[in-house]
Amino acid sequence: MRAAIDAVRVAGTPDGPVPVVVLSVEGESDVLPIFVGIDEARSIAHGIDAIDIGRPMTHDLTLDIIEELGGRVDRVVVSELRDGTYIADLHLNTPREDVVVDARPSDSLAMAARTSAPVEISEAVFEEGHEGPEEFADLRDIREVLG
């Protein structure tokens, strides 16, 4: 299923802020929320906004290495939900061959945000994890929280 990063928001909880990446899916009214760490959420937002902070963050560095070696990010696939944890695959085109790298969804989405690579979600993952968009509409944008 084709998807896109719709928003990076923050839910306030008694334990502090909890970032969530909201993925919209083509042809579906529901969304897939993926809860991530604060640093990963910041990196995804920076990738979406194409913010250059002067020195490369980890995801920028990783992308620079891939590109310097002649590769490119082909797509990101959120492929599995295992024991409440999302599993993602980072598909790369390299000069030798196409490869699939096991990666956290947050890292994969940060790479997709920097490259405009397509995001896909397996149908089984969407069916198991989808929620109504109204659950996340009133949450604050990560940019508001981080300033």
Side-chain angles (χ1 to χ4, degrees):
M1 304 175 81
R2 298 278 299 190
I5 301 170
D6 186 54
V8 183
R9 302 205 183 274
V10 178
T13 71
D15 296 326
V18 177
V20 59
V21 179
V22 180
L23 299 177
S24 58
V25 176
E26 279 185 15
E28 299 289 341
S29 57
D30 282 354
V31 298
L32 182 72
I34 298 180
F35 292 88
V36 301
I38 195 80
D39 292 332
E40 292 81 0
R42 177 184 289 120
S43 184
I44 293 167
H46 283 168
I48 292 169
D49 294 340
I51 293 175
D52 182 359
I53 61 169
R55 298 292 299 150
M57 294 176 61
T58 303
H59 297 110
D60 301 311
L61 174 63
T62 303
L63 183 58
D64 287 347
I65 292 168
I66 291 168
E67 291 174 347
E68 283 297 321
L69 295 173
R72 73 175 182 83
V73 177
D74 180 59
R75 71 185 182 280
V76 167
V77 180
V78 181
S79 56
E80 193 177 341
L81 182 58
R82 187 183 314 148
D83 299 323
T85 301
Y86 287 100
I87 308 298
D89 300 314
L90 186 61
H91 292 249
L92 304 174
N93 300 124
T94 74
R96 289 183 306 155
E97 62 184 324
D98 293 347
V99 296
V100 178
V101 178
D102 177 33
R104 297 182 309 171
S106 58
D107 293 329
S108 297
L109 293 170
M111 299 295 281
R114 285 163 170 72
T115 61
S116 299
V119 176
E120 299 174 4
I121 301 170
S122 78
E123 196 167 322
V125 167
F126 182 76
E127 288 306 315
E128 191 169 344
H130 71 93
E131 295 189 35
E134 64 280 353
E135 299 291 323
F136 307 96
D138 292 335
L139 299 181
R140 293 178 62 197
D141 188 281
I142 188 82
R143 296 161 191 90
E144 295 172 10
V145 174
L146 298 176

